[in-house]
Amino acid sequence: VLLAAAAVWSFRLAWQRQAKLMAAERDLSELAVEEERARIARDLHDILGHSLTVISVKAELAERLFDDDPVRARAELQDLQRLSRDALADVRSTAQGIRGISLPGEIASARMALESAGIEPSLPTVADDVPSRWRELFAWTLREGVTNVIRHSQATRCEVELDPAHIRVSDDGRGPCPDDGSGNGLEGLRQRARLAGATVTTSPGPGDRGFSLTVSVPA
Amino acid sequence: VLLAAAAVWSFRLAWQRQAKLMAAERDLSELAVEEERARIARDLHDILGHSLTVISVKAELAERLFDDDPVRARAELQDLQRLSRDALADVRSTAQGIRGISLPGEIASARMALESAGIEPSLPTVADDVPSRWRELFAWTLREGVTNVIRHSQATRCEVELDPAHIRVSDDGRGPCPDDGSGNGLEGLRQRARLAGATVTTSPGPGDRGFSLTVSVPA
Amino acid sequence: MIRLLIADDQALVRGALAALLQLEDDLEVVAEVARGDEVVDAARESKPDVALLDVEMPGIDGLAAARLLRDAVPTCRVLMVTTFGRPGYLKQAMAAGASGFVVKDTPARQLADAVRRVHSGLRVVDPTLAAESLTQGDSPLTDR
Ligand SMILES: Nc1ncnc2c1ncn2[C@@H]1O[C@H](COP(=O)(O)OP(=O)(O)OP(=O)(O)O)[C@@H](O)[C@H]1O
Ligand SMILES: Nc1ncnc2c1ncn2[C@@H]1O[C@H](COP(=O)(O)OP(=O)(O)OP(=O)(O)O)[C@@H](O)[C@H]1O
Ligand SMILES: [Mg+2]
Ligand SMILES: [Mg+2]
Ligand SMILES: [Mg+2]
């Protein structure tokens, strides 16, 4: 009886340890998902706050310039239309989660992903001066570039530069290794870029270290 | 030894029960956090989706009126400033978890939004006979319904009927197109309604034309 | 003439704010920068009377920039601007020697007024922002 009890006992112990481990893992991954969502919601919220700020300031400027500088006032009005449409598209594609991709959403996820990987991010806080037609391409570039930095670079820092005509993702890691040609990420990005009329270049990162991925659009 | 084992055993049982309880509680509180977050996402979508739609319509209107009706164009620009500042205030209060949406407020902004979009509104002038517990749901319905009419219907008229047991937003536009399933507005409204014990139906509008959105509450 | 430096990483906002404030007869924008770590150099060079500093910027944030500016160009007063108030912002801004703290979407005439007040040695604190900075978050009291 004693032996049987001991057997059952040790079996239970092992089983419990296993169960505990699994529970801990599940908790951790749940927690991670949860935190990620909260993070992204907050960042998105901030970025939308930024869009609305630009809209209000520009609307005021358009009004003030109305009589004295009608050409500029009209230009401001055109900016306003673009900004509000883009913000609307961002809200909608983000509310859809995985189905859509938005530039502000990608900035938010990039921060989260890099920090989780222990790579210090230096990211733009706003994306509103990127013209509508390039926003999706830039969002894909950001996603692929940051994924690559996390997977291949062994970097400590990752910087993203963004302006109306280009986006660049650079890191201070080990740089490109002899390519085994098995990846599709950059090739897929090149195809996207070609379809959109943009170009992809890769080079060493700043100070000749690491890796740098740039997508440039025609002026 | 057997006794000692039994003692340990029963202690472990009690301990496990306690752990399970705690886990269940934690799951519940995680669920609550999750739901809270879904709520904030819904609010953000509904608030900003509406505001940004009106903002982009008005920006376009201001530009078109620029030369021919400068007085009205200026008025639109003033509206734009007010709308974007109000939306920003909404974003700020959503961040703090405070919600504020009122039925009379929505009726007023529906009128303004429809008129800017060149759609003739037929709206209730009072909302006093709607019971308090339904007022917020009806306000959200009005907001999403009118936003959809502006964005999708190509209608010339939009009618809102309101009584203590239902609210209906109908238009005389082109009616539903094969849904591309990309929207969140009606789905979010269905969730809100379900939580409150009400139901959402969509159908063709009056005279079998256009689109009609109805929220009905239990008697 | 009050000489202004504007620091904000959001180029569209910075440009529009500069244009709006430039329309005021007694204000002149003498420098614009997009990063926190460019504030001090720009201020040394252009000698502004008032610096409008965004809080969230690359390089160093506006709060850190305000601290450096206080030592480097003590004659320049600081008006912090931000889109959102966050716990501790207001306290940190005041501790960094800022004279004012307002939201970025403050109507231009009011913003111009805030600049004038700050320039004349007064304090300007946006009430909504103050509330946000104090009430948002878990425990603003223990915030560093
Ligand atoms: N940041 C980087 N640092 C170092 N090497 C990189 C970096 N980014 C890309 N590379 C190199 O370029 C190769 C091609 O990248 P690509 O994104 O096309 O493929 P992948 O990431 O390996 O696979 P996939 O993207 O299909 O999952 C990588 O395998 C890697 O060797
Ligand atoms: N008044 C209307 N007239 C014609 N079609 C409509 C109308 N209202 C809704 N629809 C159709 O129903 C779809 C779903 O509406 P829903 O509000 O859920 O999404 P959405 O408006 O497209 O996006 P979102 O609300 O997330 O910004 C719309 O895409 C549109 O095709
Ligand atoms: Mg890849
Ligand atoms: Mg909708
Ligand atoms: Mg900023």
Side-chain angles (χ1 to χ4, degrees):
Chain A
V1 172
L2 210 65
L3 260 178
V8 168
W9 179 253
S10 69
F11 174 77
R12 287 201 67 96
L13 260 183
W15 184 83
Q16 279 163 22
R17 209 172 291 131
Q18 174 63 15
K20 238 193 243 164
L21 214 74
M22 279 169 63
E25 263 166 22
R26 202 205 44 227
D27 282 0
L28 264 182
S29 81
E30 265 172 21
L31 199 71
V33 169
E34 181 103 355
E35 267 173 11
E36 173 157 354
R37 268 191 220 137
R39 255 323 249 291
I40 292 175
R42 205 180 60 212
D43 283 0
L44 187 79
H45 166 276
D46 288 6
I47 288 166
L48 288 171
H50 284 127
S51 304
L52 287 166
T53 303
V54 196
I55 289 170
S56 69
V57 178
K58 277 188 172 277
E60 192 172 1
L61 185 59
E63 198 205 337
R64 292 283 292 275
L65 294 174
F66 202 92
D67 295 323
D68 296 337
D69 191 347
V71 175
R72 171 114 193 249
R74 276 194 113 111
E76 295 298 338
L77 273 170
Q78 274 152 12
D79 276 3
L80 276 174
Q81 290 173 51
R82 179 184 69 72
L83 287 163
S84 52
R85 272 197 304 263
D86 286 348
L88 189 55
D90 289 340
V91 172
R92 300 186 65 228
S93 59
T94 310
Q96 286 157 23
I98 40 168
R99 272 186 289 166
I101 179 165
S102 78
L103 192 47
E106 289 311 307
I107 295 175
S109 339
R111 183 183 311 282
M112 177 72 204
L114 288 167
E115 279 174 359
S116 310
I119 299 172
E120 189 192 332
S122 164
L123 298 173
T125 54
V126 290
D128 49 29
D129 55 356
V130 177
S132 331
R133 58 178 300 221
W134 305 118
R135 294 171 78 84
E136 196 179 321
L137 176 64
F138 282 15
W140 285 115
T141 307
L142 190 52
R143 184 179 286 188
E144 181 59 29
V146 166
T147 308
N148 280 348
V149 169
I150 293 172
R151 291 182 51 201
H152 309 297
S153 75
Q154 302 175 355
T156 60
R157 281 179 46 83
C158 171
E159 181 171 15
V160 176
E161 293 158 71
L162 188 65
D163 66 38
H166 84 284
I167 180 168
R168 173 172 298 139
V169 180
S170 356
D171 65 64
D172 64 351
R174 62 172 177 178
C177 8
D179 194 346
D180 63 355
S182 68
N184 306 319
L186 293 179
E187 190 41 41
L189 191 64
R190 282 201 185 89
Q191 280 168 27
R192 271 182 210 283
R194 197 155 43 232
L195 287 174
T199 51
V200 176
T201 47
T202 59
S203 66
D208 238 9
R209 290 173 58 206
F211 192 93
S212 176
L213 167 69
T214 308
V215 169
S216 314
V217 304
Chain B
V1 173
L2 211 63
L3 261 177
V8 168
W9 180 253
S10 68
F11 173 79
R12 286 202 69 94
L13 263 184
W15 183 83
Q16 277 163 24
R17 211 172 289 133
Q18 175 61 17
K20 240 191 237 163
L21 215 75
M22 278 168 62
E25 262 166 24
R26 201 207 44 226
D27 282 0
L28 264 183
S29 83
E30 265 173 20
L31 200 71
V33 170
E34 222 10 79
E35 266 171 14
E36 181 61 12
R37 198 161 294 135
R39 185 178 72 70
I40 291 180
R42 215 155 48 219
D43 287 359
L44 211 61
H45 167 273
D46 293 3
I47 290 169
L48 293 181
H50 175 77
S51 309
L52 290 167
T53 300
V54 181
I55 286 170
S56 65
V57 168
K58 282 187 171 279
E60 204 184 324
L61 189 60
E63 203 204 336
R64 265 195 281 129
L65 295 171
F66 201 92
D67 294 321
D68 298 339
D69 192 347
V71 174
R72 174 118 190 254
R74 278 192 109 114
E76 295 300 338
L77 278 170
Q78 275 153 12
D79 277 0
L80 273 176
Q81 292 169 54
R82 191 177 51 70
L83 283 165
S84 50
R85 290 203 177 100
D86 285 354
L88 202 45
D90 285 339
V91 173
R92 290 198 176 103
S93 63
T94 315
Q96 294 171 67
I98 307 160
R99 269 188 303 180
I101 176 168
S102 80
L103 193 47
E106 287 310 307
I107 294 175
S109 67
R111 181 179 313 280
M112 190 190 75
L114 289 166
E115 280 173 355
S116 313
I119 300 171
E120 189 194 330
S122 163
L123 298 172
T125 50
V126 288
D128 302 346
D129 54 356
V130 177
S132 354
R133 60 177 299 219
W134 304 118
R135 295 173 76 84
E136 192 180 320
L137 177 64
F138 282 15
W140 286 116
T141 307
L142 190 52
R143 184 176 287 191
E144 181 60 28
V146 166
T147 305
N148 279 347
V149 169
I150 293 172
R151 293 186 48 205
H152 308 297
S153 74
Q154 301 175 355
T156 59
R157 280 179 46 81
C158 171
E159 180 172 18
V160 177
E161 294 159 69
L162 187 65
D163 66 38
H166 83 284
I167 179 168
R168 174 173 299 140
V169 179
S170 353
D171 65 66
D172 64 351
R174 62 175 179 175
C177 5
D179 193 346
D180 61 355
S182 68
N184 305 87
L186 293 179
E187 189 43 40
L189 189 63
R190 284 200 185 92
Q191 281 170 24
R192 278 182 206 283
R194 199 159 37 234
L195 288 174
T199 51
V200 175
T201 46
T202 58
S203 65
D208 239 7
R209 289 171 58 205
F211 192 93
S212 174
L213 167 70
T214 309
V215 170
S216 316
V217 304
Chain C
M1 216 40 139
I2 302 176
R3 297 164 63 80
L4 270 181
L5 175 151
I6 302 183
D8 194 321
D9 56 332
Q10 205 177 356
L12 296 181
V13 170
R14 191 180 66 238
L17 281 180
L20 278 168
L21 292 170
Q22 195 80 55
L23 288 173
E24 302 288 320
D25 293 335
D26 56 339
L27 305 185
E28 183 187 2
V29 178
V30 294
E32 286 184 41
V33 298
R35 299 174 57 94
D37 49 15
E38 289 170 359
V39 168
V40 166
D41 284 346
R44 281 211 180 97
E45 197 165 300
S46 61
K47 302 267 175 289
D49 301 306
V50 177
L52 233 68
L53 303 183
D54 180 22
V55 176
E56 287 165 20
M57 285 188 287
I60 58 174
D61 70 19
L63 297 165
R67 259 174 252 130
L68 295 181
L69 196 56
R70 178 178 46 187
D71 299 329
V73 189
T75 53
C76 178
R77 296 193 203 266
V78 170
L79 176 58
M80 301 295 311
V81 295
T82 186
T83 300
F84 295 105
R86 294 192 207 287
Y89 270 10
L90 181 60
K91 214 163 76 182
Q92 288 178 53
M94 292 306 159
S99 307
F101 197 28
V102 298
V103 287
K104 261 189 229 180
D105 56 309
T106 302
R109 290 217 163 80
Q110 261 165 265
L111 188 62
D113 231 47
V115 169
R116 289 179 197 112
R117 283 156 158 267
V118 163
H119 179 242
S120 65
L122 296 169
R123 293 207 147 191
V124 184
V125 174
D126 191 300
T128 41
L129 205 49
E132 265 178 53
S133 303
L134 294 174
T135 64
Q136 216 183 49
D138 294 326
S139 178
L141 295 179
T142 59
D143 214 64
R144 287 133 289 142

